[in-house]
Amino acid sequence: MSEPVNASDYLELAAANVDPKVWCYFEGGAGDEVTLRANAAAYGRWRFRPRMLVDVAEITTETTVLGTPVSMPLLVAPFAMHGLLAADGELATARAAADAGTLFCVSTITTRTHAAIAAASGDGPRWLQLYVVQDRQRTLDHIAEARECGYSALVLTVDMPLLGRRERDLKLGFQIPPDLPLPYIRGTDPALAETMAQHFQTSPSLTWRDLEWVAAESELPVVLKGILTAQDGALAAEHGVAGVMVSNHGGRQLDGVAASLDALPEVVEAVGDRCEVYVDGGIRRGGDVLKALALGARAALSGRAVAGGLAVGGEAGVRHVLSLLRDEIELGLGLLGCTSPAEVSRAHVEPVVPYDLPA
Ligand SMILES: Cc1cc2nc3c(=O)[nH]c(=O)nc-3n(C[C@H](O)[C@H](O)[C@H](O)COP(=O)(O)O)c2cc1C
């Protein structure tokens, strides 16, 4: 392939070049991967309604999330084990995201410590994605460390009471290397360096009451990640969360749920202006981000596109993927007749209407 010119090119290059026993973990979804495919396809069912003769000489892609300025409405989604794709792992992603002026949401399953990531990020904004594990003290220690290391919000993932069954991993025999550091899963005790299944146990008994516990312990704004229904959106808002992330974990948990873009409008309507709403899943283009904004998201997040950049080019690869997406967002805004993300509204999109070709 010639030089990659979009995020999908990076994913294609990664699929061709990374060991299939490793890339399957990044690429795959759960079960028959119906939801994985639905996520990306959902963007194709909306089309733009651009407005003409609008002065777009000055365009900004900048916005804020929970009051934090970011260069664009596209953030880095939390995904596990960057160290499998590049030697400096999360540090490469942290530097690239900070350089791009956008926010890095760091997974609990990071291969680098929060202190090291904070140093690599500099002033770059960061949120911590939190898994509540069965050993609650471990979760409390993790929250305290995140606060000390300057994370400005906690993203509590709620769609993983049990781990989804990812069949590509089973077929290709994906294994977490025993020497891969996972400081918030295995700890630093070498006796714990066994399998993730043994030591990474999210708490299946987590309920709304625990959300209050997390919020009180963290003293940080809490975003719930993995909300897919109006009912849970309303409950989240009633519990005073700062944000809700409409997500199906990139199709890696319950296969057969709605594409996240399809679930977005009902969650947006249910929460009203009580908290911010974000969406992830299937973002490959700046235009996808603009459709998400039109349907009510404050920002979108990308996992696999960033992973593709990291796998192909390390820090420079992530930087390129983020700059390609930012440029697509800017161009899309201008061609849509908008000068900022805030101007994108429901009037800028409509569902694609199926029609019969004349006989
Ligand atoms: C390889 C991989 C690992 C992931 N690890 C986590 C994780 O540790 N915590 C989490 O909340 N979500 C995790 N996710 C889900 C992402 O945060 C996000 O919801 C998803 O990647 C969005 O879909 P996209 O990859 O199509 O952009 C992971 C996703 C992938 C692809």
Side-chain angles (χ1 to χ4, degrees), residues 169-311:
D169 295 358
L170 300 173
K171 285 182 186 157
L172 290 174
F174 169 70
Q175 295 282 350
I176 299 171
D179 55 349
L180 187 75
L182 296 172
Y184 305 99
I185 299 301
R186 290 173 170 155
T188 47
D189 180 354
L192 292 181
E194 293 166 24
T195 67
M196 185 159 90
Q198 281 166 299
H199 288 290
F200 176 58
Q201 292 175 344
T202 49
S203 176
S205 60
L206 200 71
T207 68
W208 291 97
R209 197 168 299 159
D210 299 299
L211 167 61
E212 290 159 22
W213 170 77
V214 168
E217 290 294 338
S218 74
E219 299 162 21
L220 289 172
V222 174
V223 173
L224 285 193
K225 176 172 184 282
I227 297 297
L228 286 171
T229 60
Q231 292 88 335
D232 281 345
L235 269 175
E238 277 162 31
H239 281 77
V241 298
V244 162
M245 222 171 258
V246 177
S247 171
N248 50 40
H249 217 107
R252 296 162 73 83
Q253 284 297 102
L254 179 61
D255 192 32
V257 300
S260 43
L261 189 74
D262 291 342
L264 176 65
E266 73 172 70
V267 176
V268 166
E269 192 186 346
V271 310
D273 57 8
R274 290 180 287 177
C275 69
E276 294 187 350
V277 180
Y278 320 103
V279 68
D280 73 19
I283 297 274
R284 302 291 180 266
R285 286 281 185 190
D288 299 341
V289 176
L290 296 176
K291 288 175 185 175
L293 297 188
L295 294 177
R298 176 97 197 157
L301 295 91
S302 171
R304 290 184 182 84
V306 175
L310 186 65

